[in-house]
Amino acid sequence: MCKPLCRSWNNASGCTRSRNKSGANRGGDDVPFFACGLSCVMHPRNPHCPTMHFNYRYFETEGGTWWFGGGTDITPSYIDEEYMKNFHGTYKEVCDRHDPEYYPKFKKWADDYFLIKHRGERRGLGGIFFDDLNDRDPDEIFEFCRDCANNVVSAYGPIIEKHKNDPYTEEEKRWQQLRRGRYVEFNLVYDRGTIFGLKTNGRTESILMSLPETARWEYDQHPEPGSPEADFLDAAMNPREWV
C-alpha cells in the first residue's frame, strides 16, 4: 500500500521540536508545520518474498526551519544473499551519486534505528535511513530523495520476480508470521512516524497502514540452531555488511 502525504499548516504540540541550525529547541511549544511526502509498504504473502518499506518526506516549520527525512528498508523472513547484495548495492550506488559518505552513514543509521530494543534484534535487514537532513541546498537533497524513490523497483523487484511463485511449507509461513509480529512491535512502540502521526491527530487508518495483515506471537520462541531461521535471526541481531 502506498500513502501520499501532503498536509497544509498544522500544529504539533509536545511531540516534536522546532529545530534550527543552531540547535535551538522550543520544547513543548506549539509548532506550526508543513509536511509532505510519500510512504509505501509491501507485505507479500509468500514467506520467501521480503517486506519492503520506503518513505521520503519534507518538513518545514512556520519559522523557516526545514529538513528532509526518509529511507528504504527490507524485511525478509529468509536470507537470499545474492538479492540482499543487490538491494544494498543499488542504494549504495544511489548514495554514491550524491555523496560517497551517505551510504555507510545511512546504512548504520538504519541498523540503529530499526533496533527493537526489548528484543535485542532489528525489524529486518536494514537499508538506508536518515532524518533532519538540511546540511546543503534543499534542491540537492530533494534530488537525492527522488533518486532513492526512483530506484525502489530496481532494488526490490528482482527478488520478488525470483521468489513470488516459490512453494512454501506451513512452518515457513509460521516463521514469516512470527517475524511480522516483530514488525508490529517496532512500528507501534518505536517508529517515529507512527508516534508523531498519532500525537498530531493524524488520520489513524493512514498512520497504521504500514502494519501487516496478519502476525503471530509465541511464548519464548527460538529457531532451531543451524536453521535458515536461525541464520536470519543472527543477521537481525548482528547487522552484516552486504556490499
Side-chain angles (χ1 to χ4, degrees):
M1 180 181 294
C2 291
K3 174 185 65 174
L5 166 65
C6 187
R7 295 179 181 166
S8 57
W9 291 98
N10 293 282
N11 285 326
S13 178
C15 63
T16 187
R17 63 190 187 279
S18 175
R19 312 168 177 96
N20 60 35
K21 293 183 178 179
S22 67
N25 186 342
R26 289 172 55 185
D29 295 344
D30 281 355
V31 183
F33 72 94
F34 170 85
C36 61
L38 177 67
S39 293
C40 183
V41 63
M42 303 289 290
H43 288 296
R45 291 191 170 93
N46 191 310
H48 297 290
C49 292
T51 287
M52 183 280 303
H53 160 261
F54 74 84
N55 169 268
Y56 293 96
R57 57 192 179 273
Y58 172 78
F59 281 82
E60 181 180 329
T61 69
E62 191 176 53
T65 302
W66 58 268
W67 64 93
F68 288 85
T72 304
D73 63 280
I74 195 164
T75 306
S77 300
Y78 293 93
I79 296 176
D80 182 324
E81 190 159 341
E82 175 188 356
Y83 285 89
M84 286 302 300
K85 289 180 179 179
N86 175 71
F87 180 85
H88 280 271
T90 298
Y91 277 99
K92 184 179 187 302
E93 291 176 3
V94 172
C95 289
D96 287 351
R97 284 197 288 270
H98 298 267
D99 189 326
E101 295 184 0
Y102 272 177
Y103 179 76
K105 179 180 179 181
F106 296 163
K107 194 268 185 187
K108 184 180 185 304
W109 203 336
D111 289 338
D112 293 342
Y113 177 73
F114 290 109
L115 176 65
I116 306 170
K117 298 180 180 67
H118 60 273
R119 297 285 189 183
E121 61 194 61
R122 277 83 190 159
R123 184 176 79 175
L125 300 185
I128 61 169
F129 177 86
F130 61 91
D131 207 355
D132 305 325
L133 193 61
N134 63 357
D135 63 346
R136 60 199 71 193
D137 188 279
D139 288 340
E140 291 183 33
I141 304 176
F142 175 76
E143 288 303 320
F144 169 62
C145 292
R146 180 157 65 176
D147 202 3
C148 288
N150 285 341
N151 276 275
V152 168
V153 173
S154 57
Y156 180 60
I159 195 169
I160 299 302
E161 286 296 322
K162 178 182 178 181
H163 292 294
K164 64 183 180 181
N165 295 317
D166 284 4
Y168 54 87
T169 67
E170 289 185 12
E171 281 302 302
E172 289 170 334
K173 185 66 177 178
R174 171 177 159 271
W175 174 249
Q176 180 200 52
Q177 294 299 290
L178 289 167
R179 293 313 307 174
R180 290 193 170 170
R182 298 294 199 265
Y183 202 98
V184 170
E185 289 180 29
F186 175 84
N187 282 33
L188 294 183
V189 177
Y190 298 112
D191 184 68
R192 291 175 64 175
T194 301
I195 295 169
F196 178 83
L198 294 174
K199 286 188 175 181
T200 54
N201 298 315
R203 185 173 182 270
T204 302
E205 296 300 320
S206 297
I207 296 163
L208 299 181
M209 55 74 70
S210 63
L211 298 180
E213 184 179 25
T214 57
R216 182 183 180 96
W217 287 263
E218 294 180 11
Y219 181 76
D220 200 26
Q221 194 277 338
H222 299 281
E224 181 180 348
S227 66
E229 293 82 4
D231 183 45
F232 172 85
L233 185 58
D234 177 74
M237 297 177 73
N238 304 289
R240 300 175 184 177
E241 297 299 325
W242 302 101
V243 293

